[in-house]
Amino acid sequence: MAAGKGTRLKSKRPKVLHEIGGRALLLHVITAAKHVVPADHIYCIVGHEADRVKAAVEATGIRFVLQAEQRGTGHALQMVKAFFTLSGAEIPKHLLVLSGDVPLIRPETIQAVCDLHLLEHAAMTILTAVPPDPTGYGRVLRAREDGPEVTAIVEQKSLRPEQLGTPEINSGIYCFETHKLFAKLDLLSTNNAHGEYYLTDVAAMLVEDGERVVAVKADSVDEVLGANTIAEMMHLDAAMRLAKTRQLMAQGVTIFRPETCVIDPEVHVGADSVIEPYVQLLGATTIGVESRIRSYSVVQNSTLGDGVLVRNGCVLDGAVVGDGVLLGPYAHLRPESRIGDGAHVGNFVETKKVTLGKGSKANHLNYLGDAVIGAGVNIGAGAITCNYDGVHKHQTIIGDGVFVGSDSTLVAPVTLEAGAYVAAGSCITEDVPAGALALGRSRQVTKPGWAAERRAAIAAKKNC
Ligand code: UD1
Ligand code: CA
């Protein structure tokens, strides 16, 4: 179920697309479900901003059912029934229902609900929990304290005074015998506090028919916590982030002040690497062994080798960095930056679509874009590639062992062949052959005594 708007979030983004642990809520749920059933057996009920939600999770290979108007969780399942009836698709014997906003659910727990459902020959099996504060959740009323049988689920707003103390909550995760569920859906009413069709009302209706409705408690409460407000989501996010740092630390990574780091689920870090406080490692990022990421660096979708030192405040996006590379402080590696083994990219250097060869150095205040740079090259302070003429991007090619003097501007397209020298302050517009020196600046003019004469002239003016 992922059709709801998420009114309580006060956000334009559909609730199920809000992210925790670097991933949309709904994607967490789908990922867990895919461990239990094949993707083409999973139907996602979409409604509010349906196209946006579909686009975000389409790649998972699941199917979709449209709930154009969102009139409650019972109505959502009515749409599923209509979908099966109209499409003539084979109706499965059992139906597992998950909530798109209960993101920490684990495949093992989903499986346990299914297993118990079959074992108990139940018409409906409800996953429950007993959290420290049950406020806001629907409560599960058991027939007996020590038995699995349930008599009803009562929503928070419908709790009678004597039911307020009921500690067991409904997780919004259920297994149904499909035809028994479908038989009740059309009998639901909107005669309740929200004026919605509650799926939860099906529990009491089945019990009334003498059907078996049972509850199973989740092993961990966190797993079934809902995400209805930004604060609740950030609570879940913190839990996931901490779990990720614990997993990396268990694999030999040192993380100082792990509570300050933001590390996405797919990130790999090799043993003996060190992550300093306030580091973000995002997306598909891989870091080798014995590397160190200093504070305030943000590394996204990048691959870093072994023994890399990323000094403070670097921003990497889509970069590939070899072994023993030194970056920063404050280096900005944009997509398709390929930094060779042992190379240095120093402070306030920006790279984009660049190959920097083995051991080459660009240490101070450079912009290197659309360039292929060989090994053992030295790019002097402030030198830049002029890769853009306002319409097109052009390439700069720099051979092995080239020395580019400080503050030079290399106007692309241009090639500096191996071993060439460019004098400091040059504007290079023509290719430089191997081993040559290129100077591209006006000759210096020096006027001896000029300053003294000028001061004397000013003083004379003041005196008269
Ligand atoms: C629901 C349960 C409540 C349970 C809680 C657990 C009902 C009536 N109540 O309440 O007992 O404790 O979940 O988290 O079911 N949705 C649709 N279409 C709709 C309405 C909702 O697809 O018309 C989806 C939402 O996108 C969401 C899920 O169903 O993913 C749950 O809806 P929500 O409105 O958050 O229900 P709760 O009030 O949390
Ligand atoms: Ca909810």
Side-chain angles (χ1 to χ4, degrees):
M1 296 185 290
K5 181 166 185 234
T7 315
R8 286 164 281 188
L9 286 181
K10 302 183 176 59
S11 156
K12 277 192 187 149
R13 193 168 4 150
K15 172 163 67 174
V16 292
L17 294 191
H18 275 258
E19 287 183 5
I20 63 162
R23 225 192 238 158
L25 299 180
L26 181 56
L27 219 45
H28 284 283
V29 178
I30 293 171
T31 307
K34 275 177 74 174
H35 278 96
V36 184
V37 292
D40 61 351
H41 288 199
I42 300 173
Y43 292 84
C44 181
I45 306 167
V46 291
H48 177 68
E49 295 239 32
D51 290 340
R52 199 169 158 192
V53 175
K54 265 166 115 168
V57 301
E58 219 152 31
T60 58
I62 62 163
R63 300 166 182 228
F64 298 92
V65 170
L66 183 67
Q67 184 194 12
E69 250 187 299
Q70 296 88 52
R71 304 180 64 192
T73 47
H75 182 250
L77 269 293
Q78 285 174 3
M79 297 303 109
V80 174
K81 180 182 172 184
F83 172 86
F84 277 107
T85 312
L86 291 174
S87 71
E90 195 192 332
I91 296 176
K93 191 156 188 302
H94 301 279
L95 198 66
L96 172 70
V97 176
L98 304 174
S99 285
D101 65 342
V102 181
L104 298 195
I105 189 71
R106 289 178 310 133
E108 295 86 336
T109 307
I110 298 175
Q111 190 63 58
V113 175
C114 297
D115 292 348
L116 187 88
H117 179 72
L118 299 178
L119 191 78
E120 291 275 349
H121 299 288
M124 177 181 185
T125 302
I126 307 157
L127 180 66
T128 69
V130 180
D133 180 11
T135 313
Y137 289 94
R139 292 329 140 70
V140 175
L141 307 181
R142 296 211 184 213
R144 306 176 272 122
E145 232 175 73
D146 56 350
E149 297 88 356
V150 166
T151 56
I153 304 173
V154 186
E155 291 306 298
Q156 171 79 36
K157 285 197 176 158
S158 308
L159 287 169
R160 291 201 301 274
E162 69 272 20
Q163 294 170 331
L164 278 169
T166 313
E168 190 167 6
I169 64 155
N170 165 29
S171 70
I173 292 169
Y174 327 84
C175 214
F176 291 98
E177 202 172 319
T178 313
H179 79 273
K180 288 180 181 164
L181 165 69
F182 282 5
K184 295 296 171 207
L185 288 174
D186 298 335
L187 307 175
L188 291 173
S189 88
T190 57
N191 185 17
N192 55 52
H194 294 101
E196 291 185 345
Y197 295 101
Y198 288 166
L199 179 58
T200 46
D201 286 349
V202 169
M205 293 162 94
L206 289 169
V207 172
E208 217 169 280
D209 278 6
E211 295 292 349
R212 198 164 162 71
V213 177
V214 299
V216 54
K217 272 189 205 149
D219 285 342
S220 101
V221 172
D222 277 353
E223 215 180 314
V224 300
L225 291 180
N228 296 305
T229 62
I230 305 256
E232 280 174 8
M233 284 183 200
M234 293 308 100
H235 177 73
L236 299 181
D237 180 78
M240 291 197 72
R241 301 295 188 184
L242 212 54
K244 177 68 188 181
T245 59
R246 289 219 178 94
Q247 179 208 328
L248 290 174
M249 288 191 280
Q251 291 163 5
V253 181
T254 298
I255 305 180
F256 290 103
R257 302 287 305 276
E259 73 280 9
T260 66
C261 294
V262 177
I263 305 180
D264 276 355
E266 274 105 70
V267 170
H268 292 278
V269 183
D272 297 310
S273 283
V274 177
I275 313 291
E276 295 191 359
Y278 297 101
V279 162
Q280 297 193 35
L281 305 177
L282 308 174
T285 289
T286 300
I287 297 171
V289 300
E290 293 180 1
S291 289
R292 188 175 192 106
I293 316 294
R294 291 205 178 277
S295 294
Y296 311 115
S297 289
V298 180
V299 181
Q300 181 167 327
N301 297 326
S302 294
T303 304
L304 280 62
D306 302 335
V308 173
L309 174 60
V310 179
R311 294 197 181 105
N312 303 55
C314 290
V315 176
L316 279 69
D317 184 7
V320 178
V321 174
D323 297 337
V325 166
L326 232 80
L327 299 180
Y330 311 110
H332 184 189
L333 274 54
R334 292 166 50 202
E336 294 183 56
S337 294
R338 294 171 188 281
I339 312 302
D341 294 348
H344 294 188
V345 177
N347 30 207
F348 304 107
V349 174
E350 175 180 345
T351 65
K352 185 219 79 174
K353 217 173 180 181
V354 144
T355 308
L356 189 64
K358 231 177 176 176
S360 289
K361 290 176 185 164
N363 265 329
H364 327 271
L365 303 156
N366 306 112
Y367 170 62
L368 302 171
D370 300 298
V372 178
I373 303 171
V377 170
N378 191 85
I379 309 283
I384 62 166
T385 55
C386 309
N387 61 326
Y388 187 46
D389 61 11
V391 183
H392 297 110
K393 301 278 169 70
H394 301 283
Q395 210 181 28
T396 301
I397 298 174
I398 302 179
D400 292 347
V402 167
F403 182 94
V404 178
S406 294
D407 207 23
S408 295
T409 52
L410 309 176
V411 182
V414 73
T415 299
L416 315 181
E417 288 181 7
Y421 264 68
V422 170
S426 292
C427 177
I428 299 297
T429 55
E430 286 162 24
D431 293 353
V432 182
L437 167 69
L439 292 116
R441 64 187 190 215
S442 52
R443 193 168 274 283
Q444 180 172 329
V445 177
T446 309
K447 299 184 177 178
W450 183 92
E453 280 166 26
R454 173 155 175 82
R455 282 190 205 106
I458 291 168
K461 231 185 206 173
K462 264 192 195 158
N463 289 340
C464 65

